[in-house]
Amino acid sequence: MSGDSPRPEASRCAVCGEPAVFFDRQAKHHLCGAHLIAGIEERVKKTVTERNLIVPGDTVAVGVSGGKDSTALLMILSRIIPAIPDVRLVAITVDEGIDGYREETIPAADRLVSGLGIEHRHVSFTGMYGDTLDTFLVGRENQSCTVCGILRKKALADTAAAMGATKLATGHNLDDEAQSVLMNVLRGDLLRLVRDSSTDSSGRFLPRIKPLMYIAEKEIAAYLILRDAWQDLPECPYAKFALRQDARTMLATLEYRYPGTMLRLLESKETIEKSCAGQIDTEPLRSCQVCGEPCSGELCQFCQLRPSLVR
């Protein structure tokens, strides 16, 4: 499992010498299944610990779509959370109402969460906002990721709060994070580039954490295959309209040619964050004039969007 097929004479685990199943092109070494699984879980645990993403007493709500990233996230957290005292996991699945997509992914999420014995809550765009994403996007498909992102973010945050969560965990991986950095650079959006969603802003909004932020997409795929949890599920049909798709293609090419590109991009973002600490004038956090939620302007993103959802 890798971008390159390893040479037969080199296909031994760098740790134990057993037959390898994965070649890390950046580190230039092979790993057997057991050491790949252990290494990924240890790296996630290190991210959680060093960044204080989860602390004793937390209730962590995990957004579980049924896709590979959220599946791996919940599986890994369920294995490393017992080492942190008094932490509870709950799961949330959002049905956006995407024809031909959620019919397969939601049952996959149900099977996963049921097997782990974790409290699970379902919510839908129809139940929360009155209709499906498919309906909201008629005639403006090119805005799909923006509209869905705003509605999905609110659905997860509101449901997590209702379940008593103190943190909201999402399955964003290294590829996702590197793509976001590149997109913000292309847009010239310095504020978004240095924003940290894991801070709680004095308790005014639920912190969002990304425990898989240093795990590459190909590693997640390998992890699920090795743990017999891989499912061949459809991709969101609206992905083709997103700038992210172009960023994904660009970074995949660069990562193949120059292994470590995505990690270095993420590290550069963190360096910029530290350099800009206290140096960037940001708008003070206000309360939305309609719903009272914290926001940077007069209206939050949801209340700006909501009038256009009425048909």
Side-chain angles (χ1 to χ4, degrees):
M1 300 176 189
S2 74
D4 290 338
S5 297
R7 296 187 304 274
E9 68 271 21
S11 299
R12 292 283 171 178
C13 178
V15 180
C16 67
E18 290 296 310
V21 299
F22 186 87
F23 179 58
D24 186 326
R25 297 184 72 249
Q26 181 183 355
K28 293 183 173 59
H29 65 215
H30 298 77
L31 292 170
C32 66
H35 281 110
L36 177 63
I37 289 173
I40 289 173
E41 292 179 352
E42 184 59 34
R43 285 159 57 202
V44 174
K45 183 177 179 180
K46 181 179 179 181
T47 298
V48 166
T49 302
E50 291 187 349
R51 300 176 72 92
N52 289 317
L53 299 185
I54 301 172
V55 298
D58 270 338
T59 294
V60 182
V62 182
V64 182
S65 67
K68 66 181 186 325
D69 299 320
S70 62
T71 295
L73 174 63
L74 190 63
M75 291 176 69
I76 293 171
L77 287 183
S78 70
R79 289 163 71 95
I80 68 173
I81 283 299
I84 307 175
D86 193 27
V87 172
R88 183 170 70 104
L89 284 180
V90 297
I92 303 169
T93 297
V94 179
D95 181 359
E96 301 91 346
I98 304 174
D99 189 41
Y101 175 55
R102 281 305 184 209
E103 289 86 347
E104 294 185 59
T105 54
I106 290 177
D110 290 341
R111 290 190 295 270
L112 170 68
V113 179
S114 176
L116 292 173
I118 294 171
E119 181 183 352
H120 192 192
R121 189 167 299 186
H122 286 251
V123 293
S124 70
F125 279 12
T126 299
M128 297 188 74
Y129 311 125
D131 218 326
T132 66
L133 180 66
D134 284 345
T135 300
F136 295 145
L137 292 178
V138 172
R140 57 172 178 179
E141 288 81 1
N142 62 339
Q143 301 175 32
S144 56
C145 286
T146 298
V147 173
C148 183
I150 292 171
L151 298 181
R152 182 176 171 78
K153 178 181 175 182
K154 180 171 176 58
L156 285 170
D158 287 356
T159 306
M163 297 178 79
T166 54
K167 303 282 175 59
L168 173 60
T170 59
H172 293 83
N173 58 43
L174 175 61
D175 300 53
D176 298 323
E177 292 299 284
Q179 290 158 20
S180 293
V181 173
L182 179 59
M183 289 161 60
N184 287 327
V185 170
L186 293 174
R187 292 175 177 138
D189 195 335
L190 181 60
L191 292 180
R192 282 185 180 273
L193 181 65
V194 301
R195 184 177 298 166
D196 182 5
S197 63
S198 66
T199 58
D200 66 3
S201 188
S202 301
R204 293 198 62 189
F205 57 81
L206 192 67
R208 288 176 291 131
I209 61 173
K210 303 170 184 177
L212 302 184
M213 63 187 297
Y214 294 115
I215 309 298
E217 186 174 9
K218 68 177 184 179
E219 293 178 297
I220 290 171
Y223 179 89
L224 293 177
I225 291 170
L226 290 167
R227 293 205 57 201
D228 197 26
W230 174 265
Q231 299 186 69
D232 190 12
L233 296 172
E235 184 178 21
C236 176
Y238 294 110
K240 62 186 178 183
F241 296 106
L243 171 62
R244 182 174 292 274
Q245 192 73 4
D246 293 328
R248 179 179 184 177
T249 301
M250 186 185 307
L251 279 175
T253 301
L254 291 171
E255 181 68 30
Y256 181 80
R257 293 180 61 185
Y258 310 105
T261 293
M262 290 190 293
L263 180 59
R264 289 191 293 270
L265 193 58
L266 189 54
E267 290 172 343
S268 295
K269 171 191 181 291
E270 293 169 352
T271 299
I272 293 170
E273 283 179 348
K274 293 176 182 177
S275 298
C276 292
Q279 303 298 314
I280 298 178
D281 291 329
T282 58
E283 294 185 24
L285 201 61
R286 309 178 189 178
S287 295
C288 175
Q289 292 184 358
V290 175
C291 69
E293 289 294 308
C295 62
S296 58
E298 294 182 354
L299 298 178
C300 68
Q301 288 183 313
F302 173 71
C303 288
Q304 291 178 51
L305 175 65
R306 182 161 51 182
S308 70
L309 302 181
V310 179
R311 298 202 175 255

